[in-house]
Each structure stands twice: as C-alpha cells, then as structure tokens.
Amino acid sequence: MDSLFDAAESGEDREQRLEDLSRQVAVCTKCDLSQSRTNTVFGSGDPYSPLMLVGEGPGANEDATGLPFVGRAGKLLDDILAAVDLTRDQVYLTNTVKCRAAVEEGGKMKNRQPRTTEIRACNPYLQAQFETIKPGIILCLGGPAAKTIIDKDFKITRDRGQWREAYGAMAMATFHPAYVLRQQGEELNQTKRQVWQDVQNVYAEYQKIMEKRS
C-alpha cells in the first residue's frame, strides 16, 4: 500500500488525490466485505477543512447510496453540526472501513461491527486520507473509531471529550449519532448534553484554526 502514501505526497491537488484513492477503494478486494457490498463509501466534504469526522463504518443507507452518514443518524449529525453553524460541506466525513459490515439474520442483513482483520485491511486508505487532508482536528464518532485512531484501549464512556494526539492532529471522541438515537429518557438527555459539550469544544478549536487561516 505504499503507493497510497506516495500519492498523498505528490504535487497533485487534494481533490485529485482523494479521487484516485476513491477509485482504488471502489475495486478493493482486500477483505470479505467486498463480496457483500453494494457500494463503497469513501468519504465526502471539504478536503481542505481543518475538521475531519470519522465513524466506524457504513450502514444500510450508506451502502445503498455510497455516501457517508445518511439516514436518521446522518440527519442527527447534520443537526449537531448546524447547532455550531457548520454544515457537512465544511468538514470532511469518512469511516474507518469503507464497506458495510453486515450479517444475515432472519433473512435480513443487519449491521455488525467490523472485524479486526477488516479494519486492518482498510486502515491504509484511512491513513492516506489523513495524510492527504492533513486535518488539524479529528472527531471520532463512537468508541470503535476512537479505538482505531486514538488508542486501542479507548473507552468511550471514560475517555470521550478528552483531547488526544493522533496523526499529527488534535483528536477527540464523542458518541456516535446512531448511539444517541438508541437512548431513551434521561439517558438520552444526558447523552445529548455530553455530545453538545464535545462538539462545542471541537468547534472552538475549529474557529481558532480558521482565524489563523484568514
């Protein structure tokens, strides 16, 4: 996979590098997820944004459309971003794996967590995205993404909201929008407050970087 990093270091613009990477992902067969996918889900957004959001992997809606964070969880993410005056066009969205991990149960395909081998197979693509976009801030959405990017021993309930360093960027993790949607009652209210606090802290750093750029 050295060619991925070579491309990221070349003189091509970021859009072209990401397009080349996306084409490589589209024909990738390095793990079994390639056998059941409808579409690969590479990433979307502004490749020049200082803020990169990374989830675990595509679900059914993402697999159908080829776009990250669509459906109910995607709508909630849009609302979370809007609360700090951001849109998905102002950040870059991707996942640790680019194909849906699913298992058949009762005649239906249901999401499952990606296996370690699947994450490892896809990791060079994610690393190449980091190298190309060079984000100043990485927000991991959910514990699995944080375990891949920040620390394999990361625990979302213990470590969320804390700044770490990863890939030369400030990194933080908060709860995944899909997790938020599964909560009820006071647990839902508490989770929303925690996500709001985390996103506000991320946005404060985002503003600092944007002010330096202007």
Side-chain angles (χ1 to χ4, degrees):
M1 299 297 287
D2 291 344
S3 61
L4 297 179
F5 298 98
D6 293 342
E9 290 298 326
S10 73
E12 300 171 347
D13 61 42
R14 294 184 188 183
E15 291 93 339
Q16 185 61 54
R17 289 179 231 158
L18 291 173
E19 185 177 328
D20 292 343
L21 282 167
S22 180
R23 283 198 291 266
Q24 292 181 49
V25 168
V27 297
C28 179
T29 57
K30 293 184 178 297
C31 77
D32 290 343
L33 296 183
S34 63
Q35 298 176 17
S36 59
R37 71 188 179 213
T38 303
N39 289 293
T40 55
V41 184
F42 180 71
S44 68
D46 180 5
Y48 297 93
S49 175
L51 175 56
M52 191 168 174
L53 280 65
V54 187
E56 180 182 25
N61 291 308
E62 290 79 11
D63 179 62
T65 62
L67 298 172
F69 296 98
V70 294
R72 291 180 65 222
K75 175 62 168 60
L76 179 56
L77 179 59
D78 288 340
D79 292 342
I80 292 169
L81 291 172
V84 289
D85 295 321
L86 285 175
T87 69
R88 63 172 58 213
D89 292 334
Q90 293 173 285
V91 302
Y92 192 85
L93 302 171
T94 193
N95 288 289
T96 59
V97 297
K98 314 307 184 190
C99 300
R100 182 191 183 193
V103 61
E104 185 175 349
E105 291 183 4
K108 294 183 178 181
M109 298 300 291
K110 294 186 177 181
N111 296 337
R112 63 165 174 80
Q113 285 196 339
R115 301 186 180 99
T116 301
T117 53
E118 295 161 350
I119 295 171
R120 188 179 298 122
C122 215
N123 192 248
Y125 297 123
L126 179 63
Q127 291 189 43
Q129 285 176 303
F130 286 138
E131 182 64 28
T132 299
I133 295 168
K134 298 178 175 62
I137 307 163
I138 299 170
L139 179 60
C140 299
L141 298 174
K147 286 178 180 290
T148 298
I149 295 166
I150 298 175
D151 186 336
K152 64 181 177 59
D153 297 319
F154 192 96
K155 293 184 179 180
I156 191 71
T157 53
R158 180 191 67 194
D159 301 324
R160 55 142 285 276
Q162 300 177 22
W163 287 112
R164 304 286 187 90
E165 190 277 334
Y167 295 97
M170 298 174 61
M172 181 190 288
T174 195
F175 295 111
H176 194 288
Y179 174 84
V180 177
L181 290 171
R182 292 196 295 269
Q183 306 310 299
Q184 297 180 342
E186 181 53 35
E187 288 80 8
L188 174 60
N189 293 331
Q190 179 179 350
T191 303
K192 283 184 174 180
R193 286 193 295 268
Q194 291 172 320
V195 172
W196 174 236
Q197 180 184 35
D198 297 340
V199 172
Q200 282 184 305
N201 290 336
V202 166
Y203 183 62
E205 296 302 323
Y206 171 89
Q207 285 183 303
K208 290 178 185 179
I209 295 175
M210 295 305 290
E211 286 171 3
K212 290 179 181 179
R213 289 184 177 184
S214 61

